[in-house]
Amino acid sequence: MNNENEVDPQLPSNKKSPLIFRMLWRFIIFLFILFAFVFTGALLVGYYYQDEVKGYVISELNKHLNTEIIVDGKDIDFTLIKNFPYASVDFKNVKALDAVKTKDKDTLFTAGKISLQFNIVDVFHKNYHVKKIKIDDADLKIRIDKNGNDNYHFWRSSPETDSTAFSFALEEIILNHIQFSFKNYRTKQSADVLINNSKLSGHFSTEKHSLEIESNILINRIVTDGRTYLRKKNIQVELALEVDNTIQSYKIKKGKIKIENLLFEVVGNVMNESQAGNELIVNIGVRGENMDIRSVLSIIPNQYKDRINDYESNGEFYFDAVVKGSLSENKMPFIEANFGIKNADITHIKNNIVLHDVNLKARYSNGNKANAETSLLELTAFSATINNGSVAGELLINNLNDPSVEAKIKANISLEELQKFIKIDTIESITGQLKMNASFNGKWNNINSTNYQDITAKGNLAITDMNVKLKNNSLEFTNINGDFNFNNNDLMVNELKGNIANSDFDLKGIFKNSIGFALNENQDITIEATLHSKNIDLNELLANKEEKKQSTSKYKLKFSEHLNVNLVSEIEHLSFRKFDATDIRGIIILKDKKLMADPIQLSTMNGNITVSGLVDGSDSTKLLITCFSDVNKINVSKLFTSFENFTQSSITDQNIKGLVTAKIQFASVLSPELTTDMSKLIATIDMTIENGELNNVESMKSLSRFIELKELNSIRFATLKNSFEIKNQILSFPKMEIKSSAINITLSGTHTFNNDINYKIKLSLNDLLSKKAKKAKKENNEFGELADDGLGRTNIFLTMTGTVEHPIIKYDSKGAIQNMKIELKKEKNTLKTILKEEFGLFKKDTTLNRKTKKEETKFIIKWDEVDKKEEKKELKLPKKKEDDDF
C-alpha cells in the first residue's frame, strides 16, 4: 500500500535555512570575536604601554609648560577604550598656578578632567600627535594687573628639544562647563562667563583649513568702567571660518550670534598684517533684522533700567553696523552703525498711557580718525503721538571727548498726559496744553559747568490754561498762561499770568541764565521783570501748611541763594493777617538772600506810607529786618488793629483815635516762621497825632480815681508830638504834652514789654478843675503839690510805677518830670550805630564818628515858659522816701 510513503506532519523538517541568514549570523559572531579580540588587545596594549605613554606625554608637556601643573599620578590614565577609536591620556583633578615670576602664585585654572586623544595606530609607532582635546568642569581665572602683566602665558611658544614625536595636530576641541572669569585692573574691565558647551572643529595644524564653532554661553556679567552689561544673558554662537595661517587671515563665511532673542548676522574677515602680531585688519559687518524692542531693552545695563522699569514697549528694532580698519592697542577701526525703531508703542504700565507710532532713525560713527574726537551720535528723525498730541525732534552729538549738542524739538501735547507718561515726582496733578518749537546748541561740558553763556537756544514756548497742584503744598496754581521766547541762555517772558490760590499775577520780563538754572541746581537765575497784581494774599502764600494736620496757618520765609530778583511792582491790594494796603508801587530787589524795598509806596489805614527796608535772610536761622518809613496821616485806630495792638493791651484800637504822621526807624530779628525776637527789637519814632482821643485808658482811669476827675476817662487833644525809642524791650519817651481846654497832661518815662511802667506826670488844671481837685483830695494841699504856674493853671506832680494792671501812684516833688530830649537824641545815634554795625547802613553819617563831651546825668526841670527860673535846677533826691501809696 501507499501508506508507507506518507509523511507525518508532526515530525521536524530537514529543510536548511536560507544562505543569507547563515552568513549574517556568522558575520555577527565574527564581529563579536573581533571586538572581543580588539578589546582584549586594547586592554593588553593599554596595560603594556600605559607607563611608557604616560611618562612620555608628561615629559613632553613639561617641556612646553611655563608654570607649575599639579596633578596626582593616580589621576593620570592611559586608555584605548573610553574614547575609542582614539587612545587618550586623561588627567583628572588638574591644578595650574599663575604663569608669573613672583613667589606668591594664585590658581590659574582647575579642571575636573583634561583628555588628550591620539590615533591608536600612532601609539604603536610611538608618534603622539594630539588630534583632540576635551576639557570638562574647569575654572579659568585670567588676570591683568595695573602694569599690563598677565597670568595666563603658561605655554611656551617653542619646545626645548627638536623632537617631533609629540605634537598637536588638532582636529577638534570640546569644552563642557567651563567657568571663565576675567579681570583687567588696567582698563577696569571684568567678565564672568559660563561656557555650557563649545565645540571647535577643523584641521588646526594645517596652514589653510576650515573652522566651525558652535557654542552655548551664559554671560553672568560684563563690567566696563563700573557699568554692567549683559547680565544673566544666554548667547549662542555659530561660526564658519576659512583660516589661512600663511597670512593669518580669518574669513567669516557664515556667522550667527544670538543674544537672548536678538539674532545678529556676522560676515567679513580679520587679518593680521603686523610682523609683531599685535595689529589686526578688520572688515566685519553686523546686521540685526526684525528684532523686537522688548528684547533690545532687556540688554540695557542695570543702572539705566530703573528709568524704564515702569514702561513696556513693542515694535520693530533694526541694527546695521560696519567695523573696518586697523585694530591694536593704540588704534581703533572705523565704526558706523545705523539703528532705529519702526512703528512702536511705548506704554507707561501704571498709568496706561501709550506713546503711539514711535519712529526713530539714528546713526553712530567714530569718524574719519576713528576716535572719540571725531565720533558722533545722530538722531535724524524722532516722532510719536500721544492721544491727540504729537512730539518730534532731532539730536546731534559731535566729539565725544568734548561733546557739542544740537537739538530740535517740536511738541503740541497735553500736560496731563505728558505728566502721566514721564511722571515728575514733585507734581501731584496738572492740566493744560504745551506748545513748543525750539532748538538748542551748546557744549556738554558747559552744561555741567558754569559756562552757560556759550549755550544758545532759539524758539518759543507757550502754556495754555495750566492748573498745577504740587505735592506737600496746599497752594493751587490755576489759569496759568504763558508766552515765552528762548534767547540763548535766557528766557524772555512775553507774558506769564495766572493765580496762586486767591492771589493773581501778571509778569513780563526776562529770566537770565534760565537754562543753567534748570540743568544745574547750583546755578543762579536772575529775574528782571514787572509785576502787576489785583490782589495778593500773603496769608496763603506764606502759609507752610501740611495736609491732614492742624488747621492753624504757620508761616515760613526763606530765600534761595541762587535767586536774584529786580521786580517793578504794581499791586492793587495786599493783605497779611489784619493788615491791608492798596495802590502799592515800588521796586523789590532780592540778591544774596537779601530782600530790599527801594522804596515802596502804598495807601493804607486812610493814609499813605513810604517804606524803604531790608530783610536779610543770609543766615538760615533768622531774618534781620531794617525799615525806614514815612507815615502820612493814617488812622491810628486802624494802625493798632492792623498790627494787632503791637502785642500789648495797655492801649488798644478801642482806646485811641486820631491821625498819625510819623518817621519810623525800625530794626529787629525774626525767626523764619516770622516770630519776632523782642529782645532784639530796636526802633525810634518821631510821631505827630492830630485830632486825637484817649478813651478808657486804664492808666488814665487810675489818675481819675486818684484825683476823682471824670474828665480823665476821655481826653481829646488837637495835636500831640513826641519821639519814642524802643530798645531792650523798653519803650522810652521824653516830655509829652496832651493839651485840652480843661486839662493838660505832661508825662515822660518808660514802659517795658512786660507792662512795667515808670511814668513822671504833670497835670495842669484850669481854675474850675483845680477847685474840684482841691475839694476832692485835700491831700493835694496837705502835701503841697498844687502849684500855680502863673498862667491861671494849677499843677499836680505825680509818679506812676508798678504795672499797667496794678499801678502805684505817688506825689512827686514839684517839677519832677525829667527832660529826655537830649537822651532820645543820643539814643537815635545809638540806633544808627547798631544799624550800621548789623546792616552796613549810615556809612556816610559823619555824626556817628564825632567825639562828644561826656554828658552829665542830671535831671533838669523844664516845664512851661513861666518855669524858666527852674530850668537848670537839679532834682535833688528827697531826704526821706515817700511811703504814701495810692
Side-chain angles (χ1 to χ4, degrees):
M1 297 291 302
N2 296 327
N3 292 336
E4 295 179 358
N5 297 324
E6 291 182 1
V7 178
D8 189 349
Q10 296 181 354
L11 295 175
S13 175
N14 294 326
K15 189 176 179 180
K16 295 183 178 180
S17 300
L19 178 62
I20 188 171
F21 290 106
R22 293 198 303 271
M23 294 180 62
L24 179 61
W25 174 250
R26 291 172 183 173
F27 182 72
I28 292 174
I29 294 174
F30 172 77
L31 288 179
F32 176 78
I33 295 173
L34 178 63
F35 176 78
F37 175 78
V38 172
F39 181 78
T40 303
L43 291 177
L44 294 174
V45 172
Y47 178 78
Y48 179 79
Y49 283 97
Q50 66 174 341
D51 292 337
E52 177 182 345
V53 174
K54 288 193 298 184
Y56 183 79
V57 170
I58 292 172
S59 175
E60 291 297 321
L61 288 176
N62 284 330
K63 294 177 182 179
H64 291 78
L65 292 175
N66 198 29
T67 188
E68 183 179 358
I69 303 292
I70 301 172
V71 60
D72 195 319
K74 298 178 181 178
D75 290 330
I76 303 175
D77 292 329
F78 172 70
T79 176
L80 300 176
I81 303 300
K82 291 181 180 181
N83 298 298
F84 187 85
Y86 291 97
S88 65
V89 177
D90 297 337
F91 299 86
K92 298 179 181 178
N93 303 319
V94 181
K95 180 179 181 180
L97 301 182
D98 287 337
V100 294
K101 296 181 180 180
T102 59
K103 294 182 180 180
D104 298 328
K105 297 182 179 182
D106 203 349
T107 301
L108 174 61
F109 71 83
T110 60
K113 181 179 179 181
I114 299 176
S115 179
L116 305 181
Q117 300 178 16
F118 322 88
N119 282 332
I120 292 178
V121 177
D122 289 341
V123 174
F124 295 102
H125 296 285
K126 296 184 179 182
N127 292 321
Y128 304 103
H129 302 301
V130 180
K131 299 289 185 179
K132 186 176 180 181
I133 295 178
K134 185 179 180 182
I135 303 176
D136 297 313
D137 302 320
D139 187 358
L140 175 63
K141 298 178 181 179
I142 301 297
R143 301 289 182 267
I144 299 175
D145 64 21
K146 294 180 179 180
N147 298 320
N149 301 316
D150 64 69
N151 70 333
Y152 57 85
H153 282 89
F154 66 93
W155 192 261
R156 292 175 185 169
S157 58
S158 59
E160 295 179 353
T161 65
D162 295 331
S163 172
T164 58
F166 180 85
S167 63
F168 285 89
L170 289 175
E171 296 177 357
E172 190 174 79
I173 299 175
I174 298 176
L175 306 175
N176 291 315
H177 202 269
I178 309 299
Q179 184 67 51
F180 169 75
S181 64
F182 168 80
K183 286 187 179 181
N184 189 330
Y185 295 95
R186 188 175 187 179
T187 60
K188 297 181 180 180
Q189 295 174 321
S190 65
D192 184 1
V193 178
L194 173 63
I195 302 174
N196 291 311
N197 53 75
S198 182
K199 180 179 179 181
L200 290 78
S201 303
H203 295 279
F204 301 104
S205 58
T206 61
E207 291 185 345
K208 295 181 180 180
H209 63 271
S210 297
L211 173 63
E212 293 186 359
I213 301 174
E214 294 182 6
S215 296
N216 186 351
I217 300 170
L218 172 64
I219 297 182
N220 290 312
R221 63 179 179 179
I222 296 176
V223 180
T224 300
D225 290 330
R227 294 184 177 89
T228 302
Y229 298 89
L230 299 178
R231 186 176 182 86
K232 299 292 183 182
K233 301 300 176 187
N234 289 301
I235 296 180
Q236 296 178 359
V237 179
E238 295 181 13
L239 293 177
L241 308 176
E242 290 292 336
V243 180
D244 187 347
N245 288 323
T246 59
I247 57 174
Q248 295 187 356
S249 171
Y250 305 87
K251 183 179 181 180
I252 304 173
K253 296 192 302 180
K254 179 181 178 181
K256 292 183 179 180
I257 299 176
K258 189 175 183 181
I259 304 175
E260 293 293 331
N261 294 322
L262 300 176
L263 179 61
F264 297 91
E265 294 182 356
V266 183
V267 294
N269 60 76
V270 177
M271 184 169 58
N272 189 351
E273 288 191 349
S274 172
Q275 295 181 352
N278 57 5
E279 182 174 329
L280 301 176
I281 303 300
V282 180
N283 187 4
I284 294 177
V286 181
R287 174 175 294 180
E289 288 285 354
N290 300 322
M291 297 186 291
D292 64 282
I293 296 177
R294 187 179 290 108
S295 297
V296 174
L297 296 179
S298 69
I299 65 174
I300 291 177
N302 287 341
Q303 57 266 41
Y304 303 121
K305 275 191 176 180
D306 292 339
R307 305 176 187 178
I308 61 173
N309 282 338
D310 293 335
Y311 301 88
E312 65 179 12
S313 59
N314 57 64
E316 182 182 344
F317 180 85
Y318 65 90
F319 179 86
D320 190 356
V322 173
V323 181
K324 187 175 183 179
S326 298
L327 174 63
S328 67
E329 185 176 353
N330 300 317
K331 292 182 180 180
M332 284 291 294
F334 170 75
I335 301 174
E336 183 173 85
N338 293 281
F339 56 94
I341 300 172
K342 295 180 180 178
N343 303 322
D345 289 341
I346 301 175
T347 304
H348 191 284
I349 302 171
K350 294 181 180 178
N351 297 314
N352 196 30
I353 296 295
V354 183
L355 199 62
H356 293 285
D357 300 323
V358 180
N359 289 278
L360 170 67
K361 291 182 180 180
R363 180 174 71 97
Y364 167 79
S365 172
N366 60 1
N368 54 5
K369 294 183 179 179
N371 57 26
E373 183 180 353
T374 58
S375 295
L376 66 85
L377 175 63
E378 183 179 21
L379 277 63
T380 56
F382 168 77
S383 63
T385 61
I386 179 169
N387 289 342
N388 295 324
S390 63
V391 60
E394 298 178 4
L395 175 67
L396 175 62
I397 302 177
N398 278 307
N399 186 1
L400 299 186
N401 269 344
D402 184 18
S404 63
V405 181
E406 296 180 21
K408 294 180 180 179
I409 185 169
K410 186 176 182 179
N412 185 354
I413 193 168
S414 164
L415 289 171
E416 182 178 11
E417 294 169 350
L418 182 62
Q419 163 65 7
K420 289 180 179 179
F421 188 78
I422 63 176
K423 203 63 179 176
I424 300 176
D425 291 336
T426 55
I427 296 178
E428 182 176 309
S429 63
I430 186 171
T431 60
Q433 195 74 14
L434 170 70
K435 292 184 179 180
M436 185 176 184
N437 188 356
S439 62
F440 303 90
N441 192 333
K443 292 283 189 180
W444 184 262
N445 290 336
N446 292 343
I447 295 176
N448 292 317
S449 63
T450 58
N451 300 321
Y452 292 101
Q453 63 273 12
D454 295 331
I455 299 174
T456 61
K458 301 293 182 183
N460 55 73
L461 170 68
I463 297 173
T464 307
D465 299 329
M466 182 175 72
N467 299 312
V468 181
K469 179 71 170 62
L470 301 178
K471 289 183 178 179
N472 302 320
N473 192 321
S474 60
L475 298 175
E476 291 189 3
F477 300 79
T478 58
N479 301 319
I480 308 296
N481 289 273
D483 182 20
F484 311 90
N485 288 111
F486 295 101
N487 182 19
N488 296 330
N489 190 25
D490 302 332
L491 182 66
M492 309 298 295
V493 182
N494 302 319
E495 182 181 56
L496 176 61
K497 60 183 180 180
N499 298 88
I500 305 175
N502 291 320
S503 301
D504 66 276
F505 63 91
D506 188 346
L507 188 72
K508 297 179 181 179
I510 181 173
F511 289 19
K512 295 182 178 180
N513 193 37
S514 58
I515 294 179
F517 182 77
L519 296 177
N520 194 322
E521 61 181 6
N522 295 320
Q523 280 291 301
D524 296 341
I525 187 171
T526 299
I527 300 175
E528 296 179 357
T530 60
L531 170 67
H532 180 267
S533 175
K534 294 181 179 179
N535 177 65
I536 291 181
D537 186 351
L538 291 179
N539 296 294
E540 291 181 323
L541 297 182
L542 296 180
N544 184 30
K545 296 179 181 178
E546 294 184 3
E547 297 183 357
K548 298 181 181 180
K549 292 189 176 182
Q550 58 185 13
S551 59
T552 304
S553 297
K554 294 182 179 180
Y555 303 93
K556 191 167 186 178
L557 181 63
K558 60 180 180 179
F559 303 129
S560 169
E561 61 183 336
H562 300 296
L563 179 61
N564 301 308
V565 176
N566 191 329
L567 195 64
V568 179
S569 304
E570 295 182 6
I571 302 170
E572 296 182 21
H573 177 259
L574 181 143
S575 60
F576 179 59
R577 292 180 178 173
K578 294 183 178 181
F579 175 79
D580 277 281
T582 60
D583 195 21
I584 304 169
R585 300 173 183 271
I587 300 175
I588 298 174
I589 299 173
L590 176 62
K591 187 175 183 180
D592 300 328
K593 301 179 76 172
K594 295 178 182 179
L595 179 66
M596 292 168 280
D598 188 29
I600 299 292
Q601 296 177 341
L602 55 96
S603 298
T604 183
M605 297 168 281
N606 303 126
N608 300 309
I609 298 178
T610 301
V611 180
S612 294
L614 169 68
V615 180
D616 187 345
S618 55
D619 186 338
S620 61
T621 63
K622 60 184 178 181
L623 299 170
L624 302 179
I625 296 180
T626 56
C627 178
F628 303 89
S629 302
D630 285 331
V631 178
N632 183 29
K633 294 186 178 181
I634 65 172
N635 187 309
V636 69
S637 297
K638 293 185 177 181
L639 174 65
F640 273 69
T641 300
S642 298
F643 290 94
E644 300 173 5
N645 290 314
F646 301 98
T647 68
Q648 54 83 42
S649 59
S650 302
I651 300 178
T652 69
D653 53 350
Q654 302 299 317
N655 305 127
I656 189 168
K657 294 181 180 180
L659 299 178
V660 175
T661 299
K663 290 185 179 294
I664 302 172
Q665 297 180 6
F666 173 87
S668 184
V669 176
L670 276 69
S671 70
E673 292 76 22
L674 305 184
T675 301
T676 303
D677 185 347
M678 293 298 182
S679 65
K680 296 182 180 180
L681 188 151
I682 304 171
T684 62
I685 306 170
D686 294 327
M687 182 177 66
T688 299
I689 301 179
E690 301 176 89
N691 300 322
E693 291 184 27
L694 290 174
N695 299 311
N696 300 313
V697 178
E698 289 299 324
S699 57
M700 291 296 103
K701 288 182 179 181
S702 300
L703 292 175
S704 177
R705 290 192 297 270
F706 180 69
I707 60 173
E708 297 185 1
L709 294 175
K710 296 181 179 179
E711 287 82 354
L712 291 175
N713 288 335
S714 178
I715 300 173
R716 297 182 180 183
F717 51 90
T719 302
L720 171 63
K721 292 183 178 181
N722 202 21
S723 297
F724 299 87
E725 188 260 341
I726 300 175
K727 183 181 178 183
N728 298 325
Q729 303 187 65
I730 298 174
L731 170 65
S732 303
F733 52 94
K735 183 180 76 172
M736 178 170 62
E737 189 169 10
I738 303 173
K739 294 182 180 182
S740 67
S741 59
I743 184 171
N744 291 348
I745 302 174
T746 305
L747 71 155
S748 67
T750 60
H751 188 136
T752 71
F753 286 10
N754 294 325
N755 283 329
D756 296 325
I757 57 176
N758 186 4
Y759 295 165
K760 301 292 183 179
I761 306 171
K762 181 178 78 171
L763 303 177
S764 298
L765 311 178
N766 63 13
D767 184 57
L768 178 61
L769 292 181
S770 176
K771 290 178 180 180
K772 288 183 179 181
K774 291 176 182 179
K775 184 177 180 181
K777 284 287 183 178
K778 295 181 180 180
E779 296 91 333
N780 291 334
N781 279 328
E782 293 174 2
F783 287 96
E785 297 301 331
L786 291 176
D788 193 333
D789 62 0
L791 296 176
R793 288 181 176 269
T794 300
N795 295 332
I796 299 177
F797 297 93
L798 302 171
T799 63
M800 182 183 293
T801 58
T803 65
V804 172
E805 293 80 8
H806 303 286
I808 301 171
I809 304 173
K810 297 179 181 180
Y811 286 111
D812 194 10
S813 58
K814 183 179 179 181
I817 299 179
Q818 55 181 309
N819 182 358
M820 298 180 66
K821 288 186 177 180
I822 297 176
E823 291 297 324
L824 183 60
K825 182 177 180 181
K826 176 181 177 182
E827 291 299 334
K828 284 184 180 179
N829 281 337
T830 301
L831 175 63
K832 285 185 177 182
T833 302
I834 293 171
L835 296 180
K836 179 180 179 182
E837 293 174 353
E838 293 287 346
F839 302 97
L841 303 177
F842 302 112
K843 293 182 178 180
K844 297 181 180 181
D845 193 339
T846 57
T847 61
L848 301 181
N849 300 321
R850 294 177 184 172
K851 295 182 179 179
T852 59
K853 295 181 179 180
K854 185 176 182 181
E855 298 185 20
E856 299 178 357
T857 56
K858 295 180 179 180
F859 295 91
I860 307 298
I861 303 301
K862 191 176 181 181
W863 290 115
D864 299 320
E865 294 184 3
V866 297
D867 295 342
K868 289 182 178 179
K869 294 180 181 179
E870 299 179 8
E871 281 185 2
K872 296 184 179 180
K873 182 178 177 181
E874 296 183 8
L875 178 63
K876 297 181 179 179
L877 294 174
K879 294 180 180 180
K880 184 178 180 181
K881 181 179 180 182
E882 297 284 354
D883 55 3
D884 295 313
D885 189 352
F886 300 95

